[in-house]
Amino acid sequence: MIPAHPGLQGGPVYLDYNATTPVDPRVAEAMWPYVADRFGNPSSGHAYGIEPQQALIRARTQVAALIGAEAEEIVFTGSGSEADNLALRGAILAAKTDRPHMVTQVTEHPAVLETCRALERLHGTDVTYLPVNHEGLVDPAALAAALTEHTVLVSITAANNESGALQPIAELARITRAHGVLFHCDAAQAAGRIPLDVRDMGVDLLTVVGHKMYAPKGIAALYVRHGVTLEPLVCGGGQEGGLRAGTENVALAVALGTAAQLAVEDLADGGDRRIAALRDRLHARLADQLPGRIRLNGPADGRLPNTLNISIDGTRGHELLAAVADIAASTGSACHSGDHTPSPVLRAMGLDDARSLAALRLSLGRWTTPDEIDRVADLLVTAAGSE
């Protein structure tokens, strides 16, 4: 059992790990020397650059090991959004076709959806937005039907950040490969939480995000399969294989590499199964104490082990959480000038407004304990009973 996290002491129970994770103290310890003392430019040939250069190589190797890639296929970026932009813009702008076409799904992260809209607006790209079923999943047959001779890229997320739904990535990628089309997968929510292997998945591009796996914000990586050509977003000195110019932030790269190594060890020790058991404990307690009122949003199976998205009949998610200050979690709605509107993800899954507005996303993580789970269940039952 790892020690309690100092950032979580004395505060509400934190069940918003899908929004961001606390920085693991072991990650902070590993990166600190490259903030304080080992300041050299990793591109410098003198003594001050040697250790940062070696640390960068080591971090690249650690990230690659997490997803079954080779170190040379890892490109460090400043965020998951940047990695997604590099994948999408890079592939489309490098394509040798007059009017490139790409395919994504309606429940993608805004980093993908807004990039698609920018490509439509600025570069005349044709984009097909696939629907999802009531569990939030893409139909492989719909993907196959959407491909054309001009299709360059397909981008489908591995796991939805709200429902936790896991897409059938390997099956979808097989379809695109048969048509000679590149496949990008945003694995921000999946990397470090479930085992991933880019070779088994069959993907060409994959996004990994530091602050979803206990590293600081401001660091991510894009896996770029050997042989894939991308147009760089940032031109300059040729860092990161020429795809992302600018002197590398060695400290943050070390943080991501360390987080990746810890994730490998945690998965090997069954950390995903421990989290899934806590998630199911919370679901079972709520269902038992609020009989007939708990609705699971998303698949019962085939979802992230840490994610529980439920609606409690007769409540509104934002009002429930406002009444329970001892829980830090998210809802299934967005607030615009005081008015709450249902999540586009839940709407795309066919949920009605009442159920969508009642939704709670309870996402667990490394420091979630059984006592916290029982406390959250009691608090929610009490609050929902008074609604």
Side-chain angles (χ1 to χ4, degrees):
M1 186 69 180
I2 63 174
H5 194 287
L8 298 172
Q9 297 295 312
V13 177
Y14 189 70
L15 291 184
D16 209 13
Y17 282 82
N18 284 9
T20 196
T21 55
V23 176
D24 193 300
R26 295 167 291 182
V27 170
E29 181 181 7
M31 71 177 283
W32 181 248
Y34 300 93
V35 175
D37 302 318
R38 300 168 193 171
F39 62 88
N41 188 322
S43 296
S44 296
H46 52 64
Y48 287 100
I50 292 174
E51 191 166 357
Q53 183 184 78
Q54 292 173 340
L56 202 58
I57 293 170
R58 185 166 57 251
R60 211 181 298 279
T61 301
Q62 290 169 318
V63 174
L66 176 65
I67 59 172
E70 297 178 19
E72 297 77 15
E73 296 175 307
I74 301 300
V75 176
F76 289 118
T77 67
S79 66
S81 293
E82 183 190 336
D84 287 347
N85 271 259
L86 175 58
L88 272 60
R89 286 177 176 264
I92 292 297
L93 297 183
K96 295 178 172 58
T97 179
D98 291 337
R99 193 170 181 85
H101 170 248
M102 70 165 290
V103 181
T104 188
Q105 58 170 335
V106 293
T107 56
E108 277 293 322
H109 189 276
V112 169
L113 293 176
E114 292 304 317
T115 302
C116 288
R117 291 174 185 128
L119 288 167
E120 289 176 299
R121 186 175 67 254
L122 300 174
H123 300 285
T125 305
D126 291 324
V127 182
T128 298
Y129 299 88
L130 297 176
V132 296
N133 65 15
H134 69 283
E135 292 188 329
L137 301 177
V138 168
D139 181 357
L143 172 60
L147 300 177
T148 76
E149 61 180 338
H150 298 290
T151 308
V152 172
L153 177 72
V154 171
S155 182
I156 304 291
T157 193
N160 185 266
N161 70 309
E162 293 190 39
S163 69
L166 299 174
Q167 296 290 350
I169 296 299
E171 183 178 1
L172 298 173
R174 277 195 297 272
I175 294 169
T176 64
R177 193 183 312 117
H179 288 78
V181 173
L182 295 176
F183 193 102
H184 166 251
C185 177
D186 183 333
Q189 296 291 345
R193 292 178 177 155
I194 59 173
L196 295 178
D197 187 301
V198 292
R199 311 299 179 196
D200 293 341
M201 296 165 73
V203 300
D204 304 286
L205 301 152
L206 183 135
T207 297
V208 174
V209 178
H211 79 98
K212 305 297 187 183
M213 46 185 282
Y214 310 101
K217 301 164 188 66
I219 183 66
L222 180 67
Y223 157 74
V224 182
R225 182 180 58 76
H226 286 306
V228 172
T229 300
L230 299 178
E231 181 70 22
L233 286 182
V234 182
C235 300
Q239 292 90 347
E240 298 302 303
L243 290 178
R244 207 262 188 173
T247 302
E248 296 94 343
N249 190 323
V250 177
L252 286 179
V254 167
L256 182 57
T258 304
Q261 178 60 40
L262 291 173
V264 169
E265 296 169 3
D266 186 57
L267 287 168
D269 289 340
D272 52 337
R273 295 189 296 275
R274 181 189 75 84
I275 293 294
L278 290 176
R279 176 202 67 190
D280 294 343
R281 176 176 178 152
L282 177 56
H283 190 185
R285 286 202 54 168
L286 292 171
D288 181 61
Q289 296 182 58
L290 296 170
R293 294 180 62 192
I294 303 297
R295 313 293 177 191
L296 178 66
N297 302 321
D301 300 312
R303 61 184 155 125
L304 289 173
N306 79 315
T307 303
L308 178 64
N309 192 308
I310 55 166
S311 296
I312 304 177
D313 286 353
T315 70
R316 285 199 167 200
H318 66 279
E319 294 172 354
L320 200 59
L321 290 183
V324 188
D326 287 338
I327 301 174
S330 294
T331 69
S333 64
C335 183
H336 305 283
S337 302
D339 293 327
H340 287 263
T341 57
S343 153
V345 169
L346 299 182
R347 271 185 165 165
M349 292 164 56
L351 274 63
D352 61 36
D353 285 357
R355 182 164 165 179
S356 296
L357 289 171
L360 299 174
R361 183 188 70 182
L362 306 167
S363 51
L364 292 63
R366 187 168 288 168
W367 283 276
T368 307
T369 67
D371 286 346
E372 287 182 325
I373 289 299
D374 293 343
R375 182 182 172 205
V376 166
D378 290 341
L379 288 168
L380 288 176
V381 167
T382 299
S386 65
E387 287 287 320

